[in-house]
Amino acid sequence: MESGGNSLPSIGTDGGKRKVCYFYDQEVGNYYYGQGHPMKPHRIRMTHALLSRYGLLGQMHMFSPNPARDRDLCRFHSDDYISFLRSVTPETQQDQIRALKRFNVGEDCPVFDGLYSFCQTYAGASVGGAVKLNHGFDIAVNWSGGLHHAKKCEASGFCYVNDIVLAILELLKQQERVLYVDIDIHHGDGVEEAFYTTDRVMTVSFHKFGDYFPGTGDIRDIGYGKGKYYSLNVPLDDGIDDESYQSLFKPIMGKVMEVFQPGAVVLQCGADSLSGDRLGCFNLSIKGHAECVKYMRSFNVPLLLLGGGGYTIRNVARCWCYETGVALGIELEDKMPPHEYYEYFGPDYTLHVAPSNMENKNTRQQLDEIRSKLLDYLSKLRHAPSVQFQERPPETEFPEADEDQEDLDDRHDRDSDMEIDDPKHYDETPRRSSTAVPSIRIKRENADNEPLNQDMHSAKVPEAVVEEVSYSKALDINSTLDEAVSGMKVEQDTSVKQTDSSSIIYPKS
């Protein structure tokens, strides 16, 4: 494959070193969504174990994340939603049925022990990574982050708090423009929606489109108002392979970097776009997936690498371990060193796995049309937008520690700075109006871990609805961004529901 970018030699042990920081919480692997649920935080611990055995931890500055506080989370999310997440427990959820429905918390996004601490941990790591990039690091890595479906006032698609939006808001304190790139198989709807009407953040999502969760991400969704042409969507079909994927990724992202000229890049590396994923239907190899990381790294722009989806957990760990090596400029040996989760990777015990022989439904003509259309959109952006800063908000402060001596068990005080209302408050609050669309594919498996039949619970979103959703996303999001970046409190609800919350749950098996 072509090397791309503008500065780096091929990846190798001496190829283009970067100052890399890595965020990891030792408890993150203990969180458990529940029996039969495909999202398994244990994959983060498996990834960490591989990084350790490959000797990569010593090549990075390691940090234990400071848990995000309520006021940090409320820079994007609504107060009542965050208060609900903080208060709800598996024991009390039956007393808050209406609140569960209102905030779309239930079977697809279940209540589990330590839910709020989990949200604080992965969000704190992403914001911490953004802070480090703003203070001179080249690359920051948080494999526990990348939960791109969460909305301002609701959970969605296994995601509760949108750490990506929070990290981008932090980057915008220093950077005039931030680029968000999403290579998860699912559309990055929560991030796109948050920045749909601004020209300071460009979002580019490569995803499966059509009869697939979350049902958004049409090529015609390009942003609104000041944000027109600053949201790009690359709709793909089943079975796309490395060559086809890169035939779109490199020319599109090369042009984006040329015209948008971001001060920082956030790359969501969801591993459910890999071949053989339990919920996915693409056919990318780990090297093909990592080529996206390598390409974006080559532009020498501060880069935040985040996790995301990925449900064949042995392949998730393989992928994110290899991509950490790419971030460091180190090519890892395919033969896997023995480690505590070694048995997961049999019978071959290798870092890489071969793609399958599944049919690639993306024809050359379709790919050419998509590429041509998106490059045409980009041609309408004549120059990178300039931003006039009026007053820079205070930077997020974290306690500093000696990077070489830091104890991963050191904990920031998890006590909240927000008062909790009586839980009954949520049931008494009227549910806000929403833009409803037909029930669409959910993002889950049944309890015995067999993929669900795709036709059992899917419906294509009509074109008219897609256009209506695109238009409705414009509701005051520019003012939300402006106020958030200036450190002001946002009171009004600027999120736009794209689905009725009751449709994104487990169907009864």
Side-chain angles (χ1 to χ4, degrees), residues 185-218:
I185 195 172
H186 300 93
H187 177 231
D189 57 335
V191 185
E192 176 185 278
E193 182 178 302
F195 300 110
Y196 203 68
T197 64
T198 181
D199 58 3
R200 290 193 62 193
V201 179
M202 175 174 274
T203 63
V204 187
S205 178
F206 296 77
H207 53 267
K208 160 73 176 173
F209 183 71
D211 297 344
Y212 203 73
F213 181 91
T216 51
D218 192 288

Side-chain angles (χ1 to χ4, degrees), residues 1 183 241-243 245-246 274 284-293 322-323 352:
M1 296 180 181
I183 59 173
D241 56 25
D242 294 350
E243 181 181 1
Y245 201 92
Q246 294 304 325
L274 291 173
L284 298 182
S285 71
I286 289 172
K287 284 191 174 180
H289 194 274
E291 187 70 16
C292 300
V293 179
Y322 184 74
E323 289 177 344
H352 295 281

Side-chain angles (χ1 to χ4, degrees), residues 352-420:
H352 295 281
V353 291
S356 73
N357 60 355
M358 71 183 298
E359 177 189 0
N360 184 355
K361 294 185 178 179
N362 301 269
T363 67
R364 177 68 63 182
Q365 179 181 355
Q366 289 171 331
L367 296 172
D368 290 345
E369 290 174 354
I370 291 171
R371 183 172 57 250
S372 176
K373 186 68 172 175
L374 292 168
L375 292 176
D376 179 61
Y377 288 153
L378 287 167
S379 72
K380 301 180 190 303
L381 300 180
R382 300 192 181 277
H383 54 80
S386 61
V387 177
Q388 182 176 3
F389 285 107
Q390 295 183 348
E391 180 180 350
R392 176 171 290 171
E395 296 176 358
T396 300
E397 296 182 359
F398 292 116
E400 291 296 331
D402 187 322
E403 293 162 353
D404 296 325
Q405 302 296 325
E406 184 169 14
D407 183 355
L408 285 177
D409 284 330
D410 277 352
R411 292 288 176 172
H412 181 67
D413 184 5
R414 290 182 181 269
D415 288 344
S416 170
D417 54 9
M418 173 182 286
E419 278 188 53
I420 303 263

Side-chain angles (χ1 to χ4, degrees), residues 22-64:
Y22 167 73
F23 284 79
Y24 177 70
D25 185 284
Q26 293 188 73
E27 301 301 318
V28 73
N30 292 336
Y31 296 106
Y32 183 57
Y33 276 60
Q35 184 175 4
H37 200 292
M39 176 61 101
K40 302 185 185 305
H42 180 62
R43 65 203 177 130
I44 312 301
R45 178 176 287 158
M46 292 173 61
T47 303
H48 184 78
L50 269 182
L51 295 177
S52 177
R53 292 301 297 151
Y54 270 105
L56 297 183
L57 297 182
Q59 305 295 317
M60 301 182 286
H61 299 260
M62 282 185 58
F63 296 99
S64 180

Side-chain angles (χ1 to χ4, degrees), residues 433-509:
S433 60
S434 63
T435 302
V437 297
S439 177
I440 51 182
R441 168 142 358 149
I442 62 158
K443 186 178 170 185
R444 55 97 44 187
E445 286 186 326
N446 57 7
D448 57 3
N449 295 332
E450 290 298 325
L452 290 174
N453 184 299
Q454 296 179 1
D455 296 328
M456 288 174 62
H457 50 282
S458 61
K460 187 169 291 186
V461 179
E463 292 183 2
V465 175
V466 171
E467 293 175 357
E468 178 185 350
V469 169
S470 301
Y471 182 82
S472 65
K473 287 178 185 173
L475 299 177
D476 295 331
I477 297 177
N478 252 335
S479 61
T480 301
L481 175 62
D482 293 341
E483 292 180 356
V485 172
S486 65
M488 297 170 60
K489 180 63 187 167
V490 181
E491 296 295 343
Q492 71 183 87
D493 179 2
T494 59
S495 67
V496 179
K497 289 189 65 176
Q498 295 180 0
T499 60
D500 179 73
S501 62
S502 62
S503 69
I504 311 298
I505 59 173
Y506 286 122
K508 304 304 178 185
S509 302

Side-chain angles (χ1 to χ4, degrees), residues 213-227:
F213 181 91
T216 51
D218 192 288
I219 195 171
R220 295 168 295 178
D221 293 343
I222 56 174
Y224 183 82
K226 286 178 63 178

